[in-house]
């Protein structure tokens, strides 16, 4: 049997693939920037049958995986505000909220993908 092209661990996370087979998309819509229902996922993988929410409340833990992504995106705004003497603090807050809105789908989708790849074993 010919095996289809296998992708690596990190690429699988970034492309939001099933952590078990790395073939199928976990989310119904592809891509990191999906603004309409960004957390709309398949229940199981159509290729290997892997259930994504392996236990009740599993995705709550994904917030821990999202947290560093939020910090990485928001920190430059904070340091810019600290370094700049002329920048208004409310202007900086506004930019941070805007950045949060723009990057929200990436934060939550990537967070879930990382979390799933940590806890669901790759079976090829
Ligand atoms: Zn799969």
């Amino acid at each position: 049997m010919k095996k289809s092209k296998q992708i690596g661990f990190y690429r699988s996370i970034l492309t939001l693939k099933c952590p078990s087979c790395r073939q199928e998309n976990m989310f119904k819509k592809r891509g990191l920037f999906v603004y309409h229902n960004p957390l709309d996922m398949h229940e199981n993988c159509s290729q290997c049958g892997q259930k994504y929410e392996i236990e009740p409340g599993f995705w709550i833990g994904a917030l821990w995986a999202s947290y560093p992504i939020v910090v990485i995106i928001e920190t430059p705004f904070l340091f810019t505000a600290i370094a700049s003497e002329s920048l208004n603090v409310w202007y900086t807050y506004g930019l941070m909220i805007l950045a949060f809105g723009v990057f929200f789908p990436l934060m939550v989708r990537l967070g879930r993908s990382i979390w799933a790849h940590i806890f669901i074993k790759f079976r090829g």
Side-chain angles (χ1 to χ4, degrees), residues 59-99:
W59 297 127
I60 293 170
L63 294 172
W64 288 105
S66 300
Y67 182 71
I69 301 167
V70 174
V71 170
I72 288 168
I73 291 170
E74 298 289 353
T75 302
F77 292 101
L78 200 62
F79 282 118
T80 303
I82 292 168
S84 170
E85 291 174 11
S86 62
L87 205 60
N88 184 325
V89 71
W90 295 109
Y91 181 71
T92 306
Y93 283 148
L95 284 177
M96 290 175 85
I97 290 168
L98 182 69

Side-chain angles (χ1 to χ4, degrees), residues 4-7 17-18 21-25 45 47 124:
S4 56
K5 193 179 167 201
Q6 202 66 253
I7 62 170
K17 297 291 184 194
C18 165
C21 67
R22 298 179 187 166
Q23 302 288 315
E24 196 61 40
N25 295 314
C45 176
Q47 295 287 318

Side-chain angles (χ1 to χ4, degrees), residues 4-115:
S4 56
K5 193 179 167 201
Q6 202 66 253
I7 62 170
F9 179 74
Y10 297 108
R11 189 174 180 156
S12 177
I13 289 174
L14 290 173
T15 55
L16 312 173
K17 297 291 184 194
C18 165
S20 181
C21 67
R22 298 179 187 166
Q23 302 288 315
E24 196 61 40
N25 295 314
M26 289 196 305
F27 293 89
K28 291 182 179 173
K29 292 179 191 158
R30 298 177 69 170
L32 291 170
F33 290 94
V34 173
Y35 292 94
H36 184 70
N37 294 333
L39 296 177
D40 202 12
M41 299 178 73
H42 299 286
E43 261 187 51
N44 298 71
C45 176
S46 64
Q47 295 287 318
C48 68
Q50 173 68 49
K51 187 178 180 190
Y52 296 133
E53 190 173 10
I54 53 177
E55 61 186 27
F58 179 67
W59 297 127
I60 293 170
L63 294 172
W64 288 105
S66 300
Y67 182 71
I69 301 167
V70 174
V71 170
I72 288 168
I73 291 170
E74 298 289 353
T75 302
F77 292 101
L78 200 62
F79 282 118
T80 303
I82 292 168
S84 170
E85 291 174 11
S86 62
L87 205 60
N88 184 325
V89 71
W90 295 109
Y91 181 71
T92 306
Y93 283 148
L95 284 177
M96 290 175 85
I97 290 168
L98 182 69
F100 191 86
V102 169
F103 288 99
F104 179 76
L106 176 141
M107 295 168 186
V108 293
R109 288 165 79 90
L110 210 50
R112 279 196 176 191
S113 183
I114 292 167
W115 196 247

